[in-house]
């Protein structure tokens, strides 16, 4: 069992900081007799003045670079807005380890503990928090749900959030701009991820329209994803993966395999690229996290729950180390987007 610690709750209205600690046991992803789930971290800020105070739960579906980036942006913005608005804001982090049972337990705990709002990061986390909050109508403001409608997260009066819906045809346009002679594309994803359903369907439609063949490979664990990659290397000219959390968790392992075989990996988020994938065009997750935090505080202050918001994309991100390994001249991307961001691999 994993020991989880609360991080320091910061006060922006006082010069003192109170350090809290909590130890508890949580279930492994395979299930079992879990104790009540506990937050992996806690933090917060208090604005100047004696305005309203809010307690917010930030529920991360699992730990990986994309969701870590979103969580950090959410909490930084909560701190900043607390100071700006003159309100007290505290928050606690919970990690569901991609396990529906554990996420359900976290949701029950959060509602029982009287949190004012819940910010779930990822589709599965959002779905579980919506169920948990059904009776109390605690506002659920999700982050990074690619397809809220498919995920059953629309038409609920206490639920909204931000979508990182993917422009799949644009990413495949990038692929053909770099290599017009692509004959076969690998579609790598997890069939357990709602986020992947629509983008994979869009990719198939696009490739069919171009008379380009495709090979589908799926995996639901790191080992399965690695095996899927190895099984397609001699069949494909490029690989496409949407904003799939399972593949993202394996990216550091599969990126060298694909690059070594000369196969560029086009993905649905810049976090993949920072972990070694070749290129993407998508949402800036720092901006998405900040927008989600702003939505949450606005709902708490006004009581009005707006429709979900689709974040703007259009920024192309390229891993220069991977590009060098592939011998890829990505200068052509500058004709497709207003900004091309260059990154290198970071093990996050």
């Amino acid at each position: 069992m994993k020991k989880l610690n609360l991080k320091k709750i910061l006060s922006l209205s006082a010069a003192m900081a109170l350090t809290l600690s909590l130890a508890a046991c949580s279930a492994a992803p395979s299930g079992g007799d879990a104790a009540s789930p506990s937050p992996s971290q806690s933090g917060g800020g208090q604005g100047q003045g004696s305005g309203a105070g809010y307690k917010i739960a930030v529920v991360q579906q699992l730990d990986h670079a994309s969701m870590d980036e979103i969580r950090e942006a959410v909490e930084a913005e909560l701190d900043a807005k607390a100071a700006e608005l003159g309100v007290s804001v505290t928050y606690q982090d919970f990690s569901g380890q991609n396990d529906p049972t554990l996420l359900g337990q976290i949701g029950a705990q959060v509602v029982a503990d009287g949190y004012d709002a819940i910010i779930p990061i990822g589709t599965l986390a959002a779905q579980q928090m919506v169920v948990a909050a059904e009776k109390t109508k605690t506002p659920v403001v999700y982050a990074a749900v690619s397809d809220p409608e498919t995920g059953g997260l629309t038409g609920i009066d206490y639920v909204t959030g931000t979508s990182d819906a993917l422009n799949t045809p644009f990413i495949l346009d990038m692929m053909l701009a770099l290599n017009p002679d692509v004959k076969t594309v690998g579609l790598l994803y997890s069939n357990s991820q709602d986020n992947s359903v629509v983008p994979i369907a869009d990719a198939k439609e696009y490739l069919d329209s171009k008379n380009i063949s495709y090979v589908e490979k799926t995996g639901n664990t790191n080992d399965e994803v690695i095996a899927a990659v190895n099984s397609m290397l001699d069949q494909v000219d490029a690989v496409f993966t949407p904003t799939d959390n399972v593949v993202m968790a394996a990216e550091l392992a599969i990126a060298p395999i694909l690059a070594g075989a000369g196969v560029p990996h086009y993905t649905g988020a810049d976090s993949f690229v920072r972990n070694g994938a070749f290129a993407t065009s998508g949402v800036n997750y720092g901006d998405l996290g900040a927008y989600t935090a702003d939505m949450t505080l606005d709902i708490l202050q006004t009581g009005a729950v707006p429709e979900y918001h689709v974040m703007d994309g259009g920024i192309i991100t390229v891993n220069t180390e991977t590009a060098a390994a592939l011998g890829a001249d990505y200068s052509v991307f500058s004709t497709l987007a207003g900004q091309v961001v260059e990154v290198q691999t970071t093990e996050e």
Side-chain angles (χ1 to χ4, degrees):
M1 291 183 287
K2 182 179 179 182
K3 188 174 182 179
L4 304 177
N5 294 321
L6 293 179
K7 78 180 180 183
K8 188 163 60 177
I9 297 182
L10 304 176
S11 173
L12 299 179
S13 62
M16 300 175 59
L18 179 62
T19 303
L20 303 178
S21 64
L22 175 65
C25 296
S26 63
S30 58
D33 54 343
S36 60
S38 298
S40 58
Q41 294 180 322
S42 171
Q46 293 183 0
Q48 305 300 321
S50 57
Y54 304 115
K55 185 169 69 169
I56 298 171
V58 181
V59 182
Q60 195 166 321
Q61 183 168 316
L62 72 161
D63 299 322
H64 69 53
S66 295
M67 293 189 176
D68 292 346
E69 181 180 356
I70 294 167
R71 171 180 51 76
E72 290 165 3
V74 164
E75 294 173 355
E77 183 70 4
L78 289 176
D79 287 342
K81 293 295 286 187
E84 176 186 329
L85 298 173
V87 297
S88 168
V89 177
T90 59
Y91 48 81
Q92 290 186 352
D93 302 341
F94 299 80
S95 178
Q97 302 174 27
N98 212 33
D99 176 29
T101 300
L102 182 55
L103 284 164
Q105 292 171 340
I106 290 170
Q109 176 184 332
V110 164
V111 170
D113 288 349
Y115 282 81
D116 298 298
I118 311 171
I119 301 178
I121 304 173
T123 302
L124 179 60
Q127 291 166 333
Q128 293 293 328
M129 295 310 109
V130 168
V131 172
E134 183 176 6
K135 290 184 179 179
T136 61
K137 307 299 182 185
T138 303
V140 176
V141 188
Y142 54 76
V145 172
S146 297
D147 188 352
E149 186 170 359
T150 297
L153 299 171
T154 57
I156 307 171
D157 58 7
Y158 59 96
V159 178
T160 188
T162 53
S163 171
D164 57 347
L166 196 61
N167 187 342
T168 301
F170 185 84
I171 294 176
L172 298 178
D173 284 343
M174 290 168 52
M175 176 189 71
L176 291 181
L178 185 74
N179 181 9
D181 297 324
V182 166
K183 302 299 183 187
T184 305
V185 174
L187 302 177
L188 177 66
Y189 62 101
S190 168
N191 53 22
S192 68
Q193 293 284 296
D194 285 343
N195 281 352
S196 295
V197 174
V198 170
I200 290 297
D202 290 344
K204 291 177 181 178
E205 181 179 356
Y206 177 100
L207 295 170
D208 286 339
S209 73
K210 303 289 186 182
N211 293 317
I212 297 173
S213 300
Y214 51 84
V215 174
E216 289 184 76
K217 297 290 183 179
T218 63
N220 292 313
T221 66
N222 274 20
D223 287 345
E224 289 177 358
V225 171
I226 293 168
V229 167
N230 282 316
S231 71
M232 71 166 69
L233 290 178
D234 59 350
Q235 303 178 60
V236 301
D237 303 303
V239 171
F240 167 71
T241 296
T243 49
D244 188 295
N245 294 314
V246 173
V247 178
M248 173 60 222
E251 187 63 42
L252 280 169
I254 64 175
I257 299 172
L258 288 164
V263 178
H265 191 193
Y266 295 86
T267 62
D270 58 0
S271 51
F272 287 79
V273 179
R274 289 196 303 275
N275 278 11
F278 171 52
T280 187
S281 173
V283 168
N284 181 295
Y285 279 141
D287 292 344
L288 181 147
Y291 196 103
T292 307
D294 288 345
M295 288 183 78
T296 303
L297 288 179
D298 187 65
I299 290 167
L300 289 173
Q301 293 204 301
T302 68
V305 179
E307 294 293 323
Y308 73 86
H309 177 76
V310 178
M311 299 296 296
D312 293 331
I315 299 172
I316 292 177
T317 304
V318 177
N319 186 307
T320 56
E321 294 173 312
T322 303
L326 294 168
D329 178 7
Y330 56 88
S331 60
V332 65
F333 292 160
S334 62
T335 65
L336 301 178
Q339 184 178 6
V340 177
V341 176
E342 297 178 330
V343 301
Q344 295 184 333
T345 303
T346 56
E347 295 190 9
E348 298 177 353

